[in-house]
Amino acid sequence: MKKLIFALSITFIFSQCSKKTTDAVNSSASAVDKTWRKKAPMPAPVREIQLGTYSDFDLANGLKVIVVENHKLPRVSYQLSFNNDGLIEGDKAGYTSFAGDLISKGTTTKTKAQIDETIDYIGASLNTSAGGIFATSLKKHTDKLLSVMTDVLYNPSFPQDEFEKIRKRTASGLASDKTNPDAIAAKIRTVVNFGKNHPYGEVETEQTIKNINIDDCKNYINTYFKPNNAYLVIVGDITPTEARMQAERYFSQWKKGEVPVLKYPTPTAPSGRNVAFGNKDGAVQSVISISYPVDMNPGNPDAIKASLTNFILGGNFSSRLMQNLREKKAYTYGARSSINNDKLIGNFNAGASVRNEVTDSSLTEFLYEINRIAKEPVSPEDMLLAKSSMSGNFAQSLESPQTIANFAINTFRYKLPKDYYNNYLKNLDAVTISDVQSAAQKYIRPDNCNIIVVGNKDNVADKLKKFDSDGVIDFY
């Protein structure tokens, strides 16, 4: 009994001490300044980044070979890219895509099944498209891989049965697109931004793919798949000496030829605001896209400034569009924007999926933010956060050796300065608030844009007339 009374006494004493200590701690904590919690932490200073290096050489037939060494894994990849700027396919829109897909479906020496079996057996991959061929494997299997890759390049048999499978698969995709509001919006955007007289303005339809035949595919491959129109980028566990030996062995017999140089009129932004509407019966959401062509080539002196401007406007989760339409208004899960440069013609696009009843309100907020970034200088805090985030994204991209390969091919394809990417962070850090406002005034055009909306016509369309310069909506 005495032991029990003693234990209870000790417990009581400690509980009182604990209470006093807790009260003292709480009192002290309440006196601490917690205003720091209201602000996001400042980004760390930009760190130095060392880009990987590449080497290059030319074969006698004009093929430019670029080698990026990366010996971390015993793998090598081969990316054959063609310097095509696109061509107008007319009433056979889609035939270049057919051709690029078809060349891997059989050669004069192997069936598709034999090609697939060979690639699978060595644990490799092989993909072809209208823009080129990509293949990768373990280093010990590269000779087998290159044998198949060059067989596909030199000796495609264009089998009729595989051609019809591609047509059927494409038709199925087009049928699916008819019920996909995002796909509908993308097609309308393509047409209104670039027009029928530009390759970027063409859209595949059920009729155009019916018009395609195998000769169209053969003509495309025979005309444009030439070594003097191509880059071979070799990345991985390989030395420049080994790469040169492989390139000479497998690609030197490839015969060069004349490749047509095509010119197209440069699309321009509309003179005012043009609303284009795509009806989707029964839709409870509207897909919004504010878009127009932008004349900005890769390497343009304004490219980094415009990219930073867009990052603040709608390029990441903390951007103005996201904070306004998602966080403040709760109109959407996500609102984004982009400025894309291109050798022929770039584009601006800002968009979101919103509820029917707030479609017009969402457009009002989009245009408010687009106007604001052109009229008002951005804050130093916005600039610092955007620069830090873009620097981090750039640094993270360098973890992939394929990034260095893409930098190298862009340097040659677009005739960029050799140190363009080495100086990227320095040039990004040099952008000023004034530069951002100038870029916004030059490339952000709220009064000269195509406003594409896909949704329920009966519920939404009439509310959009006020956004069109002449009050007349174009229906698609």
Side-chain angles (χ1 to χ4, degrees):
M1 186 66 178
K2 290 181 179 180
K3 291 183 179 179
L4 177 59
I5 292 173
F6 177 77
L8 291 173
S9 299
I10 294 298
T11 302
F12 175 77
I13 291 170
F14 273 103
S15 68
Q16 292 303 304
C17 292
S18 177
K19 183 177 184 302
K20 290 178 181 179
T21 303
T22 301
D23 290 343
V25 170
N26 288 340
S27 176
S28 175
S30 64
V32 175
D33 182 8
K34 296 183 179 180
T35 57
W36 61 271
R37 291 182 180 273
K38 298 178 181 180
K39 295 183 179 180
M42 295 297 288
V46 176
R47 61 187 178 89
E48 288 292 326
I49 293 177
Q50 297 296 324
L51 294 182
T53 58
Y54 65 86
S55 58
D56 65 275
F57 57 89
D58 296 337
L59 297 187
N61 58 11
L63 179 65
K64 168 71 70 175
V65 183
I66 302 167
V67 185
V68 180
E69 292 185 73
N70 186 287
H71 302 286
K72 292 182 179 179
L73 294 173
R75 295 191 67 86
V76 185
S77 68
Y78 303 86
Q79 178 181 324
L80 185 66
S81 299
F82 293 94
N83 196 28
N84 298 335
D85 291 333
L87 66 158
I88 294 178
E89 301 175 38
D91 63 356
K92 296 186 177 185
Y95 79 83
T96 60
S97 177
F98 275 42
D101 195 1
L102 191 58
I103 61 170
S104 62
K105 300 300 186 287
T107 70
T108 55
T109 63
K110 294 182 181 68
T111 64
K112 178 182 180 301
Q114 290 172 323
I115 292 173
D116 291 344
E117 183 180 0
T118 302
I119 294 298
D120 290 344
Y121 183 76
I122 60 175
S125 65
L126 174 70
N127 300 289
T128 62
S129 69
I133 303 173
F134 179 82
T136 182
S137 75
L138 292 173
K139 181 174 182 176
K140 64 182 179 180
H141 297 313
T142 52
D143 282 326
K144 292 180 181 178
L145 178 67
L146 288 169
S147 294
V148 177
M149 180 179 178
T150 50
D151 189 27
V152 164
L153 175 65
Y154 301 147
N155 309 306
S157 60
F158 303 97
Q160 183 71 42
D161 59 333
E162 295 295 337
F163 174 81
E164 294 301 336
K165 288 179 184 178
I166 294 172
R167 196 203 308 270
K168 185 176 181 180
R169 187 167 60 248
T170 305
S172 178
L174 291 174
S176 177
D177 285 349
K178 289 182 178 181
T179 61
N180 185 335
D182 290 304
I184 297 169
K187 290 184 179 183
I188 297 175
R189 183 169 63 243
T190 291
V191 171
V192 298
N193 274 353
F194 305 114
K196 63 181 181 180
N197 295 321
H198 195 276
Y200 294 173
E202 292 193 311
V203 175
E204 292 181 15
T205 68
E206 291 158 329
Q207 186 56 53
T208 64
I209 65 170
K210 285 181 182 177
N211 296 336
I212 300 171
N213 58 56
I214 286 181
D215 285 339
D216 298 320
C217 299
K218 291 179 179 179
N219 290 338
Y220 175 73
I221 298 299
N222 292 335
T223 302
Y224 291 96
F225 276 39
K226 301 294 183 184
N228 49 306
N229 186 44
Y231 303 92
L232 175 63
V233 184
I234 305 175
V235 180
D237 188 17
I238 193 168
T239 65
T241 300
E242 292 171 323
R244 182 182 287 273
M245 292 174 60
Q246 288 187 340
E248 291 282 359
R249 178 178 177 183
Y250 290 99
F251 294 95
S252 60
Q253 66 268 39
W254 190 10
K255 297 188 182 302
K256 63 182 179 179
E258 187 172 340
V259 178
V261 177
L262 306 174
K263 299 291 184 181
Y264 306 101
T266 302
T268 57
S271 57
R273 289 182 192 160
N274 174 57
V275 177
F277 196 92
N279 184 45
K280 180 72 170 62
D281 289 331
V284 296
Q285 282 192 323
S286 298
V287 174
I288 293 174
S289 179
I290 301 173
S291 189
Y292 51 85
V294 172
D295 188 8
M296 185 188 296
N297 297 328
N300 185 302
D302 291 334
I304 294 177
K305 300 172 188 176
S307 181
L308 182 60
T309 303
N310 176 75
F311 197 90
I312 296 170
L313 173 63
N316 74 327
F317 194 82
S318 62
S319 68
R320 292 179 172 185
L321 289 176
M322 187 74 81
Q323 292 301 308
N324 185 332
L325 279 90
R326 174 189 165 108
E327 300 299 324
K328 183 179 178 181
K329 300 293 186 181
Y331 289 163
T332 180
Y333 283 111
R336 297 275 187 164
S337 67
S338 63
I339 295 180
N340 304 300
N341 56 53
D342 186 89
K343 187 177 180 182
L344 292 186
I345 185 70
N347 66 86
F348 170 85
N349 185 55
S353 294
V354 302
R355 304 189 311 278
N356 282 350
E357 60 269 25
V358 297
T359 302
D360 56 335
S361 301
S362 297
L363 276 173
T364 297
E365 296 304 323
F366 264 109
L367 293 173
Y368 165 75
E369 293 295 351
I370 291 172
N371 269 295
R372 183 163 75 102
I373 200 164
K375 292 182 178 179
E376 301 175 6
V378 301
S379 69
E381 292 78 15
D382 283 350
M383 281 285 287
L384 188 61
L385 178 61
K387 286 183 178 181
S388 178
S389 297
M390 290 178 65
S391 297
N393 292 343
F394 182 78
Q396 187 176 21
S397 74
L398 300 179
E399 294 176 3
S400 168
Q402 206 65 46
T403 297
I404 309 302
N406 290 333
F407 287 170
I409 200 169
N410 288 344
T411 300
F412 288 106
R413 175 174 286 168
Y414 304 123
K415 297 178 173 57
L416 303 179
K418 286 271 188 175
D419 59 356
Y420 181 82
Y421 291 103
N422 285 301
N423 290 332
Y424 174 83
L425 291 181
K426 181 177 71 174
N427 293 332
L428 175 63
D429 191 53
V431 178
T432 65
I433 290 176
S434 177
D435 290 333
V436 167
Q437 189 168 17
S438 297
Q441 292 170 348
K442 186 174 182 180
Y443 296 106
I444 307 295
R445 301 169 187 166
D447 297 322
N448 304 95
C449 61
N450 293 303
I451 298 175
I452 300 100
V453 179
V454 176
N456 191 317
K457 176 181 176 182
D458 295 337
N459 294 346
V460 176
D462 284 345
K463 300 177 183 179
L464 306 181
K465 291 180 180 179
K466 62 184 178 182
F467 297 102
D468 193 286
S469 294
D470 59 11
V472 178
I473 298 175
D474 298 327
F475 290 95
Y476 288 80

